[in-house]
Amino acid sequence: MRFNKLLYTTVFLLTAGTLTIQAQDKKPIEKKPTEKKTAEKKAAEKKVTDKKVADKNDDDKQVTEEIEVVRPYKPILAEAVKLRRSPDLNDVKTYKARFNYSLTDRKLELNSDIDKLYAQEVAAEKQTEIINNYVKGAFGSASTVLGEAYINMGRSEDFQAGGFFRHFSQSGKLNGQKFNQQQLSVFGRSIGEQAIFSGRINYERKGLYFYGYDDSNPLRNPNPGKQSFNFIEAEAEVVNKHSEDEDALSYAAKINGYIWGDQLSASENSVVINGYLNKRISSFNFGLAASGEFGNTKDVSTSVTNNLLRLNPYIRLQANGIKITAGINFVQEFGTVSKSRIFPAVTADFTIIPDYLQIFGEIKGDVNRNSMKEFSDENPFLNSNIAIKNSIEKLSFSAGIKGTGGPGFGYKARVYRKEITDMPLFVNNFTDFNKFDVIYDFGTMKLLGLEGEVSVQVSDQLKWTGKINVEDYKPASEQYSWFKPQLRISSDLLYNVTDKLGFTAAVAIQDASNAKIYTAAPATPYIIPNPAIEQVVNVKGFVDLGLGANYKINNKFSAFVKANNLLNKEYSRYLYYQAIGVNVFGGISYSF
């Protein structure tokens, strides 16, 4: 096979060489130095022409030949020569990569226990700086002066102590329309392993004038008298820490005492002791709440001791969204008046939709201990020798709903009905029209009311709260429940535009009320009303609008401004006592 292929190849080469030699025809070149090429010769020369000059070194002679190509060379091969050797399809070589292995001897662990997890130490985190102290100062129109300070000891979770001080004073355009107030408080709290102890000491002073102004007789009060109140209070409390034990025993005890006095001759002291004991057994709670109120009120011609002892045993069921408390409220009066009373004490709370809707109700009765401290807080323009006696809340009923409507939205609404015997009321004194006496509506006054509260917090930047009270008084002996409005609305708005700038708004709306003035001196002591010598005066309602703004300069300093009674209404909560008109004040606070 190979021999035949070799033979064919040799024959092909010899044939090609012979044909090549025969295809060339050599002609001698005639030298014509001046001969010009004719057009016919140039056309003939368009054929393939190749000049080959061969230099011969013999005797420095040069030989020149002209080779004329008759036709182009086109080799022709036999069909057999064109065949190539077919590849051997069975000759397949496989590529095998070379690998290097490194085997490590390791013992097979057959222990299936969980390994202990060790906590990884992290770098100590820098504690956040706590800014819980501040001082504040402000000045403004209506001779407004504000000074405030709050101090807290710091970061400790087991013990807290601090203090608070505030001074606020204003004056209006009327003669003697001045007011100032100072407050000082020191408090402390200790959290132990079993109980929490807390205590505080408060001091409060109020200074004012009896500036009552009669529009019909401007010269009726040329020299307003001065009045001031001093109040010192101390309180201590112990409460056991919450326990998840179903059979836990919980307890609490608190003692509160105060001394009160005015610039004239009235004085009062009081001590209140409260105790609470509760035993939890499964879903039931058995407990006893007890309290004792001991007090004495003195003036030039009066001295009243009105003490109370309360015992409130109860049993409470709390399970599966139901909370029912049933018990009695035993009240013993002793002192100037001695009498025992028993009232029901029942409360119920049903969860219809957890966190969204709850229904609650209450039936109770109690004896309310009246005091000069409470009266002066409500109306500071009191006369001397105020009559003091307790009020009996015979039967009170209330029911309503409460819950949330989603994150940031809460609501509460309730309707209530009360029956109160000897309800205290304020009336202007016949001799000194700018001072108020306290009378009692002899008999049982009936009150029907509706209360609603709404709180909406869209975000940290926007928060709104609103409250409404609608009350209908049906007095027992008096014509009206004096200075008791039927409608009261209050609302507060907080809006933070940025982290530095925020605004506040507040509005208070009060419906008109009625006041009683005497055309002649009433009987002393006052027993029952005498319409023949009484005149009813309407006290107009009002709208008090306030705005404020706060700007945070940095982490330490901030500025604020506040405006009150923007509508500049000369309204009166009590007859003859107009409120200060529009007033604006501002200042700076420093936190540290």
Side-chain angles (χ1 to χ4, degrees), residues 150-340:
Y150 176 86
I151 299 175
N152 193 291
M153 64 170 296
R155 189 183 296 274
S156 175
E157 297 181 357
D158 297 333
F159 181 75
Q160 293 287 324
F164 173 77
F165 171 78
R166 186 175 190 268
H167 167 84
F168 183 76
S169 61
Q170 278 187 328
S171 62
K173 63 181 181 180
L174 298 178
N175 183 24
Q177 193 178 22
K178 300 178 181 180
F179 171 82
N180 64 83
Q181 181 181 20
Q182 296 80 37
Q183 294 175 277
L184 177 62
S185 177
V186 180
F187 57 87
R189 187 184 212 187
S190 176
I191 302 177
E193 296 182 358
Q194 301 295 330
I196 301 174
F197 300 89
S198 61
R200 61 189 176 96
I201 298 175
N202 298 329
Y203 170 74
E204 181 178 347
R205 181 187 179 277
K206 294 180 182 179
L208 52 91
Y209 288 84
F210 294 99
Y211 69 90
Y213 180 78
D214 187 356
D215 292 332
S216 60
N217 188 1
L219 301 178
R220 193 175 180 184
N221 185 20
N223 297 310
K226 189 176 181 180
Q227 176 68 291
S228 64
F229 305 103
N230 290 280
F231 173 71
I232 301 176
E233 178 187 31
E235 182 178 280
E237 182 180 16
V238 57
V239 180
N240 75 309
K241 298 181 72 173
H242 177 73
S243 175
E244 297 294 340
D245 184 10
E246 292 185 355
D247 298 329
L249 177 66
S250 57
Y251 59 87
K254 181 171 70 173
I255 181 171
N256 176 283
Y258 71 81
I259 299 174
W260 176 93
D262 66 3
Q263 184 175 332
L264 303 177
S265 56
S267 64
E268 185 175 77
N269 58 76
S270 173
V271 176
V272 180
I273 302 174
N274 292 289
Y276 168 83
L277 189 65
N278 184 86
K279 176 67 174 178
R280 185 170 56 201
I281 302 176
S282 186
S283 299
F284 290 91
N285 288 266
F286 300 90
L288 173 66
S291 66
E293 299 182 22
F294 311 94
N296 177 261
T297 303
K298 291 182 179 181
D299 209 331
V300 175
S301 59
T302 60
S303 178
V304 177
T305 300
N306 54 341
N307 304 323
L308 296 177
L309 175 63
R310 291 188 182 91
L311 296 175
N312 176 218
Y314 64 88
I315 179 172
R316 178 183 300 145
L317 170 64
Q318 185 173 357
N320 299 324
I322 299 175
K323 184 178 179 181
I324 300 175
T325 302
I328 61 170
N329 183 21
F330 172 79
V331 183
Q332 174 66 52
E333 293 181 86
F334 58 97
T336 304
V337 177
S338 180
K339 193 168 185 178
S340 300

Side-chain angles (χ1 to χ4, degrees), residues 560-576:
F560 65 94
V561 62
K562 188 174 183 181
N564 297 319
N565 196 8
L566 287 177
L567 302 179
N568 198 26
K569 297 293 184 179
E570 297 180 350
Y571 63 87
S572 301
R573 293 183 182 272
Y574 296 100
L575 190 61
Y576 303 126

